[in-house]
DNA sequence: GTCTATATAACGATAGAC
DNA sequence: GTCTATCGTTATATAGAC
């Protein structure tokens, strides 16, 4: 019987880490429970001592990651910095998440689309709405306080920022030549000032 | 036996259109040959009169689309306009492709990653290199002629442009409130001038 | 906590009648 | 060009021994 996340989290989280790496590399559907068991050095049937199903594994991977991510978002939103500073922090926070949890971000990017069609993963849509609220609030505040230009469609800007930040997980490699801070620096420059010569 | 693309393209391309819509909506692996056959009003076995395999279907969908897209890219590159104008045209061309071939773009975005691991789809990597060449050439030319700022990493800018343009297929809806020209306008403004108040 | 063995279901694909 | 019928494979998941 699967343990509640309290006891023996060592083995449990190790198996989830292995599964997350495989889900990110090969995709959820192309990763079999045998693949996960092989990578863990056990047989496929033994996995069901720890988890109800393969679906439970990706569920726990995504919900755990999102809980952590949105707690960090909330902390930034709750701070009393100005809009541009908070926008800066949220962007940096996102690239930091890609750096520290690349598998989880990749899984979310690749699988959230169709997982969202199942009731069990309804929280993904809730989180998406929550994410939109974070960005749109900051963008509106920026326009109102005059630090951001007012002639752009806020919702369209939000989608561009969101997509461009998270899609970076496709090419960003932790420990590579570019740190997540380098990427955030360049991205914020492009986003705020543009690539045209002033 | 499957027909070479010469004769009776009516039925063949209709079946491919049906398959492309399903591949885009549900994902390639989540679309069964029975799904495709059902949508076409025939039985699954009958599909194999037209195509060797399910893989052949996505292969033909992707290769046909890319051939058309890159022919359009080449035409822009071959023109004698300045770098900024060509950059403008390539961006608009891409959003137009999303508008006119949303299923094909979505399939490429969602499936190219793992399909690329098979020999049969090696041309996807070739096209990716070709795409990079198009953008990087224009960006370099823009920096050299002084219309683009010189303090950014060209390769990083390329990836941001590429990703942000194509990922728009996730939310853009042909026939919706925003036309592909509206989206291109706003995107080019953000990309070139930034969202900060001047 | 892991292994052995297997149930059950769904999938891609095939052969031949019509 | 489509249908009938089904094969062979692979996947998730289960039951019980150890």
């Amino acid at each position: 019987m699967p343990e509640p996340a309290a006891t023996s989290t060592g083995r449990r989280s190790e198996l989830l880490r292995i599964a997350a790496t495989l889900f990110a590399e090969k995709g959820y559907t192309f990763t079999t429970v045998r693949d996960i068991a092989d990578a863990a050095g056990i047989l496929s049937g033994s996995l069901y001592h720890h988890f109800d199903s393969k679906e439970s594994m990706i569920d726990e991977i995504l919900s755990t990651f999102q809980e952590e991510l949105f707690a960090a978002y909330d902390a930034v939103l709750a701070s009393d910095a100005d809009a541009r500073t908070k926008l800066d922090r949220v962007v940096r926070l996102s690239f930091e998440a890609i750096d520290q949890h690349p598998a989880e971000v990749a899984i979310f990017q690749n699988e959230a689309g169709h997982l969202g069609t199942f009731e069990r993963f309804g929280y993904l849509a809730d989180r998406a709405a929550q994410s939109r609220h974070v960005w749109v609030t900051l963008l509106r505040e920026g326009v109102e306080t005059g630090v951001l230009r007012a002639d752009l469609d806020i919702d369209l800007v939000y989608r561009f920022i969101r997509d461009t930040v998270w899609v970076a997980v496709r090419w960003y490699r932790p420990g590579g030549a570019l740190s997540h801070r380098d990427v955030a620096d360049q991205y914020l420059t492009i986003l705020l000032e543009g690539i045209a010569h002033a």
Side-chain angles (χ1 to χ4, degrees), chain A residues 100-112:
Chain A
Q100 290 174 3
H101 301 285
E104 286 81 353
V105 174
I107 293 167
F108 177 76
Q109 283 292 297
N110 296 328
E111 319 290 349

Side-chain angles (χ1 to χ4, degrees), chain A residues 83-125:
Chain A
R84 176 146 174 177
T85 302
K86 282 194 270 194
L87 202 62
D88 185 281
R89 284 189 192 159
V90 175
V91 168
R92 292 182 187 282
L93 194 60
S94 303
F95 282 112
E96 197 182 346
I98 294 176
D99 182 70
Q100 290 174 3
H101 301 285
E104 286 81 353
V105 174
I107 293 167
F108 177 76
Q109 283 292 297
N110 296 328
E111 319 290 349
H114 57 86
L115 286 181
T117 63
F118 301 105
E119 276 188 35
R120 173 171 198 170
F121 295 92
Y123 65 89
L124 292 176

